[in-house]
Amino acid sequence: SGEALLRMVHRVLEIARMSSDNEPRKRQLLEVTAIIGTEIDKMRKVAERHSISLSFHAGPEPLYIDASDYEFRLALTELLDNAIKYNCKDGHVGVSLSSTEDEVMIRIVDTGIGLAGKDAKDALSAFCGKCGSQQCKGLGLGLTLVALFATALGGKLSIEGGRASGTAILLSLKRVLQD
C-alpha cells in the first residue's frame, strides 16, 4: 500500500541521516516512563485489532535520558510495532522499565514467532529478509533504525536469546540522574 511504501522510504531516510551523523537531531532531557506510557497507549488500537494485549511495568521513580524526543518515540514505536506484527493471535507484549545508576533499560517481550541465534543477529541488519522461521513482513529496517539510535546515544540494542517462543528485546540507554 501507499502508506507502507511511505513508511519504508521514511525509515531509509532516517537510517541514512543517522548513519551519516551530518544532521543530529536536537537532544533534550526526556522523562522515559511517561513517554513509554504514551507510546503504548498509541499502539493499543493496533494491538487490539490483532487480539494482542499490552502491559507496562515501571517503578515509581522517574527516569531520564538525554535524547531527541522524535527519535526516542520513533524507536519505541518500531519496537512495539515489531512485537505486535510478529506476535500470535491472543498474544501479549510486555514492556518493563528498570535502571541502574548509569543505565535505563527498556525490555520488550512478546509471545510471537521468536528470534534466535543467527536470525537474531541478522535482524539487526537492514534488509535482513527473514525473521525466525517465517519471512519478514517488512524489510528489516525497524531494528536497524533502533540500533543506530541506541548507538548514537552510547547505548545498545540487543535481542535476548534462548527463548522457546517469542522475542525479548533490550534497549539500554545512558541514564541522566536528576537531583
Side-chain angles (χ1 to χ4, degrees):
S1 77
E3 185 177 316
L5 180 60
L6 183 61
R7 280 181 41 144
M8 190 241 349
V9 169
H10 175 71
R11 286 178 180 145
V12 168
L13 291 173
E14 279 297 318
I15 289 169
R17 188 193 59 73
M18 291 176 87
S19 296
S20 72
D21 212 19
N22 288 336
E23 298 177 42
R25 294 208 186 265
K26 182 181 175 191
R27 290 166 59 167
Q28 63 191 54
L29 190 64
L30 302 176
E31 200 283 302
V32 176
T33 308
I35 293 172
I36 293 173
T38 300
E39 296 307 307
I40 287 174
D41 287 343
K42 287 179 184 178
M43 296 297 290
R44 250 180 235 292
K45 287 183 182 177
V46 174
E48 288 170 2
R49 280 197 304 267
H50 292 89
S51 301
I52 295 168
S53 61
L54 296 172
S55 65
F56 177 42
H57 301 287
E61 176 185 15
L63 299 172
Y64 297 91
I65 61 171
D66 179 37
S68 156
D69 182 67
Y70 171 79
E71 289 176 351
F72 182 57
R73 289 176 189 274
L74 180 63
L76 290 172
T77 299
E78 291 293 342
L79 293 173
L80 291 168
D81 184 60
N82 276 355
I84 293 167
K85 184 174 16 179
Y86 297 109
N87 215 317
C88 305
K89 184 175 170 68
D90 298 319
H92 180 75
V93 174
V95 180
S96 60
L97 179 62
S98 60
S99 67
T100 65
E101 191 170 305
D102 301 325
E103 281 187 316
V104 170
M105 291 145 323
I106 303 161
R107 189 168 190 254
I108 300 176
V109 179
D110 67 56
T111 56
I113 62 174
L115 282 170
K118 185 176 182 321
D119 289 336
K121 183 181 176 193
D122 289 348
L124 296 175
S125 300
F127 307 108
C128 70
K130 63 182 236 180
C131 297
S133 62
Q134 299 182 10
Q135 288 297 99
C136 265
K137 298 174 185 175
L139 295 174
L141 299 175
L143 290 178
T144 301
L145 192 61
V146 178
L148 285 169
F149 165 76
T151 301
L153 296 177
K156 183 179 180 182
L157 178 71
S158 57
I159 300 173
E160 298 176 355
R163 298 181 55 82
S165 66
T167 301
I169 302 279
L170 182 63
L171 175 59
S172 302
L173 301 169
K174 286 185 180 178
R175 180 178 180 184
V176 176
L177 296 174
Q178 292 290 295
D179 296 331

